[in-house]
Amino acid sequence: MLSIGYIRENEDEIRKMLANRSNNADLDKLIELDEKRRIFTQEIDDFRHERKELSKQIGLLKKNGEDAEKEMEKAAELNNELASLEEKQRETDEEYQNLILTFPNIPDESVPIGKDDSFNREEKKWGVKPEFTFEVKSHDALAEKLGIIDFNRATKIAGSRFATMVGTGAKLERALINFMLDVHTHEHNYTEIMPPVIVNSKSLTGTGQLPKFEEDLFKLNYRDYYLIPTAEVPVTNHFADEILSEDDLPVKFVAYTPCFRSEAGSYGQDTKGLIRQHQFNKVELVKFAHPDKSWQELEALLADAEEILQELGLHYRVVTLSTGDMGFASAKTYDIEVWLPSFNTYREISSCSNFTDFQARRASIRYKDKSTGKNNFVHTLNGSGLAVGRTVVAILENYQQEDGTVIVPEVLRPYMGGMDKISPE
RNA sequence: GGAGAGGUGCUGGAGUGGUCGAACAGGGCUGCCUGCUAAGCAGUUGCGGGGGCAACUCCGCCGAGGGUUCGAAUCCCUCCCUCUCCGCCA
C-alpha cells in the first residue's frame, strides 16, 4: 500500500507511474474519496467532542441530584446527526480502503520503463550454454523414460498440472531442497522456518495477493482459508502487526514449502512437463530490512539465489523486469532465468524483489528507530532460492547424456547416497 | 466436537456504567547520587488518525464486530483466540 500522504503530494508522479505499469487504478477517485473521508472525520470528531462534554455535564448534574433533562435531549439529538454522518463515513471509508489496496507499488528509478517483458533489461550472464552433439530431449520425455516422474497417474488422481515424483525423481527433489536449505542456513546465515501453508485473507492482503489476484489462488471450502501461492505470504506475515527492534534488522528467513497456484488464464501454456504446475516446491528467502539498507540487501539476496545455480553448474542470466512486467507489490524485481536446452531459451527459476515499505504498510510491520524513538515501516524483500521443480527440469535437460541418462551435479551427490548418474529405474 | 475459565499498555496485574488511556508493581528511558556493580531519589514512558508554523489541540483504540445508554474496559449478542478437563486423532 502506498502512503496516502505521499499520493496527495505527488499526484503527477503517481499518474505517470500508473501509466508505466499499464495500471488503470482510478487516482482521481482515490483523491476525491480521501478528501471526503477527511471532511467526514473532522465533522464526526467535532460532534463526538461535543457529546463527550455534554455527557460529562450530565454526569455531574446527576451526581449533584440536579435535573439533566435538557442536556440529555440535546445529546440524543446530537446522536441522531452523528449516526447519519457515521454511516456516510463508513461507506466512504470502505470504498477508499478497497480502492487504495488496488494501487501498485512505485517502481524504483533503475527499473526499465516498458509495457511488457520485451523491455526487460539483461544484467548479466553466468556460465556457458552446454553444447550437445546429439538431439536434446525435453525433461518430461527424459523423466518418463527414466521412470522418475509419473505425469499420467498424477492426472488420474488429481488432474492436469500435477506430477508424481517416483524413486530417484523423489529423491532428487528432496536432495535439492536439502541442498538449498543447507547453503542458505550454513553459508548465508538465514534462519530456517517452516510456516503454515494455509493462510487467511488478511495475510494475503498483507503481501498483496488480495484483493486483486484472488483468481490465482486456491481457496479452501472451509473458513477464510487459502493455500499459499508462495512462502512469501506466511513468512512475510510472520511479523505482521509487530514492532521490531532496530538492532534485529535485517531478519533473514529461509523456508521450504509447497506452493499452490490455480494458473487461471494460462490455459494452453506449458501444458507439458514440470514447468507450470498447480503444486510445486520452493525454497524461499525472505528479508526484513532497514529502509536505508534494502537496496544492498536486494543485491545480496540475488547473489544468494545465484549461488545455488552456480554450485549446480547451471547456465543462467539475470534480468531486471520492466515496469510493465513486474509484480504488483514490487519496487524492483530481478528474475534469474536458467538455460533450458529443449526450450532453446532461458526460463525464470527465481524472482528476487524489494517491496520497499509496500507490504510492511499493508501488514503493519515496523521497527522502532533508536535515535528518534519513532516507529517506521521496515522494507520487505524476497526471492526464490530456488523453485525446486524448475531446478529439476534444468538439471535433467542440461545434464542429459546421449543414452538418456542424466549426470548428477557433484554438489548433490552427498544428498543422493553418492549417486552420480540417473539411469532407468 | 462437549464442559468450564479467560482475553486490559513492553510485562505482571487492578478496574463491573460517569472526569479511565486506564490504579499499583516490574521493565525501559532521562537526570541526581555513586570508586565499580548493585541499591537509592526525582522525573518520564502506548498505538493510530485529524487540525496548526509552532507551543499545542481534537478524535479513535482495553481480542474483533455489532447492540443497549446522554455516557461502555465495565451490561447484552455474534465471532476469533488462549488455557484446563473430556472425546477424537497423526
Side-chain angles (χ1 to χ4, degrees):
Chain A
M1 184 161 65
L2 300 175
S3 149
I4 186 63
Y6 187 86
I7 294 176
R8 235 180 264 149
E9 279 155 36
N10 301 275
E11 215 181 304
D12 293 341
E13 184 199 330
I14 301 292
R15 213 173 288 284
K16 213 155 104 191
M17 177 278 280
L18 291 171
N20 288 340
R21 271 187 176 270
S22 310
N23 187 302
N24 59 4
D26 193 341
L27 181 58
D28 293 325
K29 183 79 185 165
L30 185 75
I31 287 167
E32 182 197 320
L33 285 170
D34 174 48
E35 269 169 33
K36 245 172 110 176
R37 185 182 66 108
R38 280 153 67 220
I39 290 167
F40 280 136
T41 302
Q42 189 65 55
E43 287 180 359
I44 286 170
D45 279 4
D46 290 346
F47 270 106
R48 282 188 181 151
H49 178 59
E50 205 175 327
R51 185 182 66 184
K52 221 177 197 176
E53 294 296 326
L54 260 177
S55 289
K56 264 188 207 172
Q57 276 182 37
I58 293 168
L60 281 174
L61 286 170
K62 289 203 162 178
K63 204 172 171 184
N64 298 331
E66 293 176 45
D67 176 48
E69 269 310 308
K70 246 186 202 148
E71 283 74 12
M72 285 173 68
E73 265 174 43
K74 179 100 191 283
E77 258 173 57
L78 271 180
N79 271 344
N80 274 338
E81 294 186 59
L82 240 182
S84 89
L85 266 178
E86 279 173 337
E87 175 60 28
K88 280 190 219 159
Q89 189 205 32
R90 222 188 333 266
E91 285 166 14
T92 309
D93 208 58
E94 200 184 317
E95 209 181 334
Y96 164 81
Q97 284 299 341
N98 290 339
L99 185 57
I100 195 169
L101 285 174
T102 67
F103 278 71
N105 200 359
I106 301 167
D108 184 61
E109 286 171 11
S110 64
V111 171
I113 292 168
K115 64 174 174 11
D116 56 36
D117 60 1
S118 64
F119 293 87
N120 294 352
R121 180 174 67 225
E122 182 175 299
E123 304 291 349
K124 67 188 275 194
K125 280 198 170 97
W126 185 91
V128 289
K129 279 183 205 172
E131 299 280 345
F132 294 92
T133 55
F134 53 92
E135 194 171 336
V136 296
K137 297 188 189 69
S138 69
H139 70 280
D140 47 298
L142 283 161
E144 299 234 77
K145 266 255 166 60
L146 289 166
I148 60 172
I149 304 178
D150 193 330
F151 290 102
N152 291 332
R153 289 200 174 94
T155 304
K156 174 180 72 183
I157 60 178
S160 65
R161 294 203 193 283
F162 286 94
T164 297
M165 310 301 281
V166 179
T168 307
K171 183 163 268 187
L172 176 62
E173 182 95 7
R174 182 158 58 89
L176 280 167
I177 293 163
N178 285 333
F179 165 65
M180 292 178 193
L181 286 171
D182 283 349
V183 170
H184 294 310
T185 53
H186 298 153
E187 293 174 33
H188 302 149
N189 264 316
Y190 288 77
T191 301
E192 181 173 349
I193 65 172
M194 220 177 246
V197 299
I198 293 173
V199 294
N200 56 35
S201 58
K202 179 170 184 281
S203 295
L204 287 156
T205 306
T207 33
Q209 283 77 18
L210 289 179
K212 272 195 84 173
F213 307 101
E214 171 140 32
E215 67 279 8
D216 297 336
L217 302 167
F218 282 113
K219 184 168 184 1
L220 299 188
N221 196 14
Y222 178 72
R223 293 197 181 170
D224 175 37
Y225 280 170
Y226 296 80
L227 294 176
I228 59 169
T230 158
E232 162 190 352
V233 179
V235 179
T236 304
N237 280 285
H238 190 70
F239 289 131
D241 300 317
E242 292 192 33
I243 299 169
L244 308 176
S245 155
E246 188 174 359
D247 291 330
D248 291 340
L249 302 178
V251 178
K252 297 162 63 171
F253 286 133
V254 58
Y256 148 67
T257 69
C259 303
F260 304 90
R261 298 188 182 175
S262 73
E263 295 300 340
S266 62
Y267 304 108
Q269 287 175 45
D270 306 310
T271 50
K272 279 186 57 171
L274 225 48
I275 288 287
R276 193 177 295 274
Q277 298 276 295
H278 283 312
Q279 173 186 339
F280 61 96
N281 293 314
K282 186 152 61 74
V283 170
E284 183 78 1
L285 308 172
V286 174
K287 286 187 187 182
F288 302 84
H290 191 286
D292 296 344
K293 300 275 174 60
S294 68
W295 292 108
Q296 72 196 58
E297 291 293 348
L298 176 63
E299 299 302 317
L301 181 67
L302 174 66
D304 292 339
E306 278 183 63
E307 188 180 329
I308 300 294
L309 286 164
Q310 291 171 8
E311 292 203 28
L312 290 170
L314 293 167
H315 171 56
Y316 67 87
R317 65 174 194 160
V318 175
V319 301
T320 302
L321 299 190
S322 73
T323 52
D325 197 32
M326 65 196 290
F328 171 76
S330 176
K332 182 172 186 174
T333 299
Y334 291 121
D335 269 8
I336 304 177
E337 300 179 338
V338 69
W339 176 254
L340 295 182
S342 86
F343 292 77
N344 195 37
T345 186
Y346 297 92
R347 289 300 300 258
E348 175 189 342
I349 197 166
S350 171
S351 199
C352 301
S353 304
N354 183 357
F355 301 93
T356 57
D357 65 0
F358 188 84
Q359 293 179 326
R361 203 178 282 282
R362 288 177 160 237
S364 189
I365 308 167
R366 293 170 293 174
Y367 71 95
K368 193 172 279 295
D369 185 294
K370 278 201 298 187
S371 57
T372 65
K374 293 257 185 216
N375 297 328
N376 299 324
F377 291 109
V378 301
H379 281 192
T380 59
L381 302 92
N382 70 54
S384 351
L386 309 159
V388 180
R390 288 192 179 180
T391 309
V392 169
V393 172
I395 287 170
L396 294 178
E397 295 209 354
N398 283 282
Y399 283 97
Q400 64 177 296
Q401 306 298 300
E402 186 159 14
D403 62 0
T405 61
V406 174
I407 302 289
V408 176
E410 205 126 357
V411 293
L412 287 183
R413 291 177 195 172
Y415 293 91
M416 305 262 303
M419 183 186 289
D420 56 7
K421 191 160 106 175
I422 304 172
S423 303
E425 300 262 312

